[in-house]
Every structure is written in structure tokens, then in C-alpha cells.
Amino acid sequence: MIIPHYDDVVRLDRCLAALTEAPLPAPTEIVVVDNGSTQDLGKTRAAHPDITFLTEPQKGAAAARNAGVVHTTAPRIFFLDCDCVPSTDWIKTAYDLIEGQDIVGGAVDVFDETAPPRNGAQVFETVFAFNQERYIAEMNFSVTANLLTWRRIWDDVGPLIPGLSEDRDWCNRAVARGYRLTYEPRLCVAHPTRNDWTALRKKWLRLTEESYALTAQQSFRRSVWALRAVLVLMSSLAHAPKILTSPKLGSTSERLRGLGMLFRLRTARTVWMMRQVFQH
């Protein structure tokens, strides 16, 4: 299994501790591919002598994952993110579920790393982040934060392409080649919510840039993207009831903070998307 990492040692330690809490099925190789972190990984390496640590100088999780696949030879390829907390039986469950399947995307729950009450960014993430079941059913992709496949499929489809929404692009290519992508809620990891506007903005600015790159070969690219920008803005109204009625939220003040973040983020995304239309 392959875990990309960059300057997030505390969360990496938490991830590896959860993975290795139960005995690993043999033979299992865990590979951490570091993107040239400035943080010291010495203690992490010492605590996990059976885990392989690699360095990939090209920035980005796609390049790190590709390097991990090249380094390994196992017939099964499992992907996990370093900031995810897998269930203690995640690897055993992964072995069980991939049999008879082509590609499996698991559930990604979210949790807060700070004490309540939630701020607007945390509320937004709690309601909207990582809807894996919908991604797989409607968009034919799974995030690589919790993804299983086979090397024979990887070799056929090809590597991840840096600079795109690489998980969506790779899964779409795989499905186009006839491979089946399955959602499996029993394969579960937990991911921390982004806990402020800066982190949420960084995530969505990156996703907006990568999504636009996916449209490079589309006809009427700018017109389609401009229309999508308008729809993003309008989606604020359509999605507001999800915050108002979500059973995951508690107080009215939480819901109001979430609504404010919903409108702020969707407005910002619309501005970014329109800039792309006129600058490219």
C-alpha cells in the first residue's frame, strides 16, 4: 500500500499507528512516499522499521503515488492518504474486498481536530466533504484517499497525471476501459475537517485549477466552464437546506456559520472559474 506525505508528520504518525495496531496480513508492504518534507521523519522511521520510506522530488500526491507504484511489485495496489485514520482492520478488509473486484472506493468519514463548537469551515466539510457513494455512482470516480485496485489494471490504465484532478481522471480512464468501480462502505477511513477558511480555500482553489485542466480537450471549453461557474454560484441556494437539516450538526449557530461559509466559498469559486475563462 502507498501513502504520499508532505510536511504532516503528526498526522502521518497517527495514520501509521492505526494501520499497524493490528497484525498485518503477510506479505504486506507499506510504502510512504515523501515529497521532500522540511519536517524530520527520523522518529517516524525509527518507530516503523518495517515500513519503506521513499523520497519523490516532484511535488504533488500524484507523483508520489506513481513513484510508490513503480517501487513496488505486489499484485494489489492500495492507496491511503497520510492525514487519514484507517479503521484498525483496514488492511485485512482491503484484502477481502478487492477479491473479485476491479477497483474499490471506500467510505471517508470526517472528524474535527478541535473542540466544539464547529466553525464555518468545519461545518461545510462535515456536510459536504467526501461523498464517496455519490462520486462513484454519479461521476465514476473515487478519491485516492481510500482506493484499491490491481497492478494489472494500473498497468493497463497508466499512471496518475499530475496537474489534473488525478483521482477523477484515473478512475474515469479505468471505467472507460471497461473496469468496474465499486463503492464499499465497510472499507472506512476518517479524515480531519479543514478547520479554517485558509485551509478550505487552498483545497478548493487547487480542485478548481485541476478540474479546469481536465476540460482541456473539450469543445467550447470556455463557454461550458462559464456556465458551470454560474451553476456553482446558484448551487449555494440549492444546497443551503442540507446545512439547515443535517443531523450531523448541533446548534443553530453552527448551521448559520456553515451557511455563511457555503455562500462565501461558492462565490469565491465562481470568481476563480470566471478568471480562468478570461485568462486562458
Side-chain angles (χ1 to χ4, degrees), residues 44-224:
T44 304
R45 290 173 181 265
H48 300 282
D50 296 329
I51 293 177
T52 301
F53 288 81
L54 306 176
T55 298
E56 169 52 51
Q58 183 179 351
K59 297 299 183 185
R65 291 188 180 99
N66 288 340
V69 174
V70 169
H71 175 83
T72 58
T73 59
R76 302 170 187 83
I77 299 175
F78 301 162
F79 289 117
L80 188 67
D81 277 357
C82 72
D83 53 0
C84 287
V85 183
S87 59
T88 54
D89 61 348
W90 188 89
I91 292 181
K92 180 182 183 303
T93 301
Y95 272 103
D96 292 341
L97 293 177
I98 194 59
E99 294 302 321
Q101 302 289 345
D102 294 332
I103 309 166
V104 174
V108 182
D109 296 330
V110 296
F111 67 96
D112 301 319
E113 293 180 309
T114 60
R118 295 184 179 99
N119 59 38
Q122 291 169 325
V123 171
F124 182 90
E125 289 262 290
T126 297
V127 176
F128 294 108
F130 300 113
N131 191 342
Q132 280 277 79
E133 187 171 11
R134 183 179 72 84
Y135 296 162
I136 292 170
E138 300 178 12
M139 304 166 71
N140 287 326
F141 89 97
S142 163
V143 297
T144 37
N146 191 9
L147 181 69
L148 317 176
T149 191
W150 296 88
R151 185 170 299 273
R152 58 178 173 79
I153 295 176
W154 178 274
D155 291 341
D156 184 31
V157 175
L160 298 163
I161 301 177
L164 303 180
S165 293
E166 67 268 10
D167 41 15
R168 183 171 182 177
D169 172 70
W170 190 88
C171 289
N172 287 174
R173 283 188 279 135
V175 171
R177 296 184 76 86
Y179 296 111
R180 185 182 179 203
L181 171 62
T182 304
Y183 173 66
E184 183 47 74
R186 290 175 292 176
L187 185 73
C188 189
V189 303
H191 189 285
T193 53
R194 272 78 178 178
N195 60 14
D196 57 28
W197 165 248
T198 300
L200 197 62
R201 181 185 185 279
K202 180 179 179 181
K203 170 188 173 180
W204 280 101
L205 183 57
R206 172 180 57 82
L207 291 176
T208 301
E209 292 170 346
E210 292 174 348
S211 294
Y212 187 66
L214 279 178
T215 70
Q217 304 303 319
Q218 293 182 7
S219 301
F220 308 107
R221 179 190 193 192
R222 292 186 179 182
S223 298
V224 171

